[in-house]
Amino acid sequence: MTDFCINGRFLTQPISGVQRVARQLCRALARSPAKDSFSLVIPPGAEAEADRIGLSFEIVGGASDTPLGGILWENRALAKAARGRYLINLTNRFPVALKRGAVLMHDAHVFDLPSTYTPIFGSFYRGLYRWAVTRNLDLVTVSEFSRARLSQALGVDSDRWTIIKSGIDHILEPKAEFSVLQRFGLVPEGYVLTVGALSEHKNMAALKLLARDLAAQGHELVAVGDVVPTVYAGADLGEGLKYVGRLGDDGLRALMENARCFVFPSQYEGFGLPPLEAMALGCPVATSDIAPLREACGEACIFFDPEDPEDIAERVLALSNDEAQRVHFGNAGREVTRNLTWDRSAQKWLDLLFVASKSSRVLWSNSHST
């Protein structure tokens, strides 16, 4: 039996930012010399996805492909399988009876913007987060901003949290699928790119003026995200928007590498993965002037007021139309993101587990044996 087990339910869920972090971190652990200390605990049906991760895995319980089924699986089958071991939970959730383990909470969104959730969903997560701080679990988050907001919302000392930043080098792995440009009728440097769903805090409606101004210059505003086109049209983003749906990393890389620049108007983030992915590929970025993105991006991008569509349009157009600035911020972005690797994130987790777990001496020895 392994020293550590990982809540693997994320392998049955659609891939958003949270699930991406879990997958990439587990892949990095599978590359480490300590890989044999870890086991993914998964529900039936996730075997093929677990094979792609590279860690050993255990199949327990029944299907968990519904929200209620997932809650039951985590609190029955997973809890039983993890008994006596240290359980790592990477997607905000954990069994309520857990006594030894870690929980990664990405942000305080359910406290800061409760209106973006259904009452039942929001209440469930707020209660679960509060329960975590009473269980003496190890608490992890992804940024100084998230640590401060979670500490305040939950009324706990900020020292309870360990910050482990996410990696972004997964976007450098796939070969760019340049055929995606032809598929959507795009030409290199003929568009500005954005990524995001139509959630209220993603603030996509604030891009209406930018889309109109880009169209006047013969350029397009291209949006990547898991939202149906009719919903985008209902948001009245304006003339010039081209919705391309969800893409794999190979397609996303091709679009980022060929965009004039990348715009990210989000009003709230815990970390801010999309602009950092663009920066890693040398795509110049303009993004919201909010604390977590200031923290993540430093001075390697253009900032704008996400509440002011005119400011967004003015600053993005200025970047798009200035070749020298595009080159400058493209190079600066690569430099800022150089050390944001998943292997480094995995090592931070190994360091945490060495301190947190009585059984981690073997893990520590293994992880430093190269």
Side-chain angles (χ1 to χ4, degrees), residues 168 171-172 189 253 256-262 275-285 300 325-335 337:
I168 49 84
I171 198 66
L172 303 176
E189 298 190 4
R253 176 172 187 171
M256 286 181 168
E257 288 183 333
N258 285 278
R260 297 182 67 82
C261 62
F262 182 88
L276 291 170
E277 290 175 328
M279 292 166 71
L281 292 171
C283 181
V285 167
Q325 287 289 291
R326 288 166 56 195
V327 171
H328 168 75
F329 284 111
N331 292 334
R334 285 193 180 97
E335 186 61 33
T337 57

Side-chain angles (χ1 to χ4, degrees), residues 169-177 248-251 253 257 281:
D169 54 325
H170 56 272
I171 198 66
L172 303 176
E173 294 179 6
K175 188 175 182 179
E177 182 195 350
D249 283 349
D250 51 359
R253 176 172 187 171
E257 288 183 333
L281 292 171

Side-chain angles (χ1 to χ4, degrees), residues 308-330:
D308 186 345
E310 291 187 358
D311 189 52
I312 297 173
E314 178 182 348
R315 292 180 183 273
V316 174
L317 288 172
L319 176 61
S320 173
N321 294 332
D322 189 329
E323 178 65 21
Q325 287 289 291
R326 288 166 56 195
V327 171
H328 168 75
F329 284 111

Side-chain angles (χ1 to χ4, degrees), residues 170-245:
H170 56 272
I171 198 66
L172 303 176
E173 294 179 6
K175 188 175 182 179
E177 182 195 350
F178 294 111
S179 63
V180 74
L181 276 77
Q182 182 177 8
R183 189 193 325 162
F184 294 110
L186 302 173
V187 297
E189 298 190 4
Y191 59 92
V192 169
L193 185 66
T194 188
V195 171
L198 205 59
S199 300
E200 181 180 349
H201 72 282
K202 293 298 183 182
N203 199 30
M204 298 292 281
L207 299 179
K208 176 182 177 179
L209 180 60
L210 172 62
R212 187 193 69 188
D213 290 348
L214 284 170
Q217 296 185 355
H219 298 141
E220 296 178 294
L221 177 59
V222 177
V224 176
D226 192 16
V227 183
V228 297
T230 54
V231 177
Y232 258 112
D236 191 24
L237 288 179
E239 185 179 355
L241 177 75
K242 183 184 287 289
Y243 172 76
V244 298

Side-chain angles (χ1 to χ4, degrees), residues 8 11-12 42-50 52 57 59-65:
L11 292 175
T12 68
I42 62 172
E47 296 89 339
E49 293 298 321
R52 294 187 183 98
F57 59 88
I59 308 165
V60 301
S64 68
D65 54 358

